Amino acid sequence: QVQLVESGGGLVQAGGSLRLSCAASGRTLSINAMGWFRQAPGKEREFVARINWSGGATYYTDSVKGRFTISRGNGKNTVNLQMNSLKPEDTAVYSCAASRSADVASARWFDYWGQGTQVTVSS
């Protein structure tokens, strides 16, 4: 099993920045990719970004390209999501996820999930 703990959510004004972090523990050798998803009230969960553990290839949903950056943290099993130029429509609960597969973007391919952290962007 892999445990994921997110941190860094909060309230920010439109145009501002936030940095989310996710720390993985447990059977981390099984991880080949980590990603971020978000779910706004009344909406389905949406893929945001993913990074492969080997090689570091990244992939983003179109709505965050150029504004969000996913990266591995200084800790061996951490992943960060730097969110710049935030918009009110970015408001959601953001969840970290880990996959035993690489190059994935669908939630069904992610095996482990964090509890989520709230991001609220005010206009």
Side-chain angles (χ1 to χ4, degrees):
Q1 288 294 322
V2 173
Q3 294 77 43
L4 302 174
V5 178
E6 303 101 335
S7 61
L11 172 65
V12 65
Q13 288 188 333
S17 298
L18 279 175
R19 182 182 178 91
L20 304 182
S21 294
C22 176
S25 61
R27 298 174 63 91
T28 57
L29 288 179
S30 67
I31 297 174
N32 282 292
M34 289 187 71
W36 289 93
F37 289 77
R38 66 186 180 186
Q39 187 166 20
K43 295 188 177 181
E44 293 191 354
R45 183 169 51 191
E46 174 190 27
F47 168 81
V48 176
R50 179 264 298 146
I51 184 166
N52 287 343
W53 242 217
S54 177
T58 58
Y59 181 69
Y60 300 89
T61 192
D62 286 346
S63 62
V64 308
K65 285 180 182 177
R67 300 189 299 122
F68 291 11
T69 302
I70 189 170
S71 63
R72 293 190 70 168
N74 290 330
K76 184 177 180 181
N77 296 308
T78 61
V79 63
N80 299 319
L81 184 68
Q82 178 66 40
M83 304 185 294
N84 298 330
S85 301
L86 282 161
K87 305 174 181 180
E89 51 263 44
D90 294 318
T91 295
V93 174
Y94 284 71
S95 297
C96 173
S99 175
R100 293 191 293 261
S101 305
D103 297 316
V104 292
S106 174
R108 65 189 180 100
W109 290 108
F110 285 81
D111 307 286
Y112 309 102
W113 294 83
Q115 296 278 11
T117 185
Q118 178 70 46
V119 171
T120 302
V121 184
S122 63
S123 56

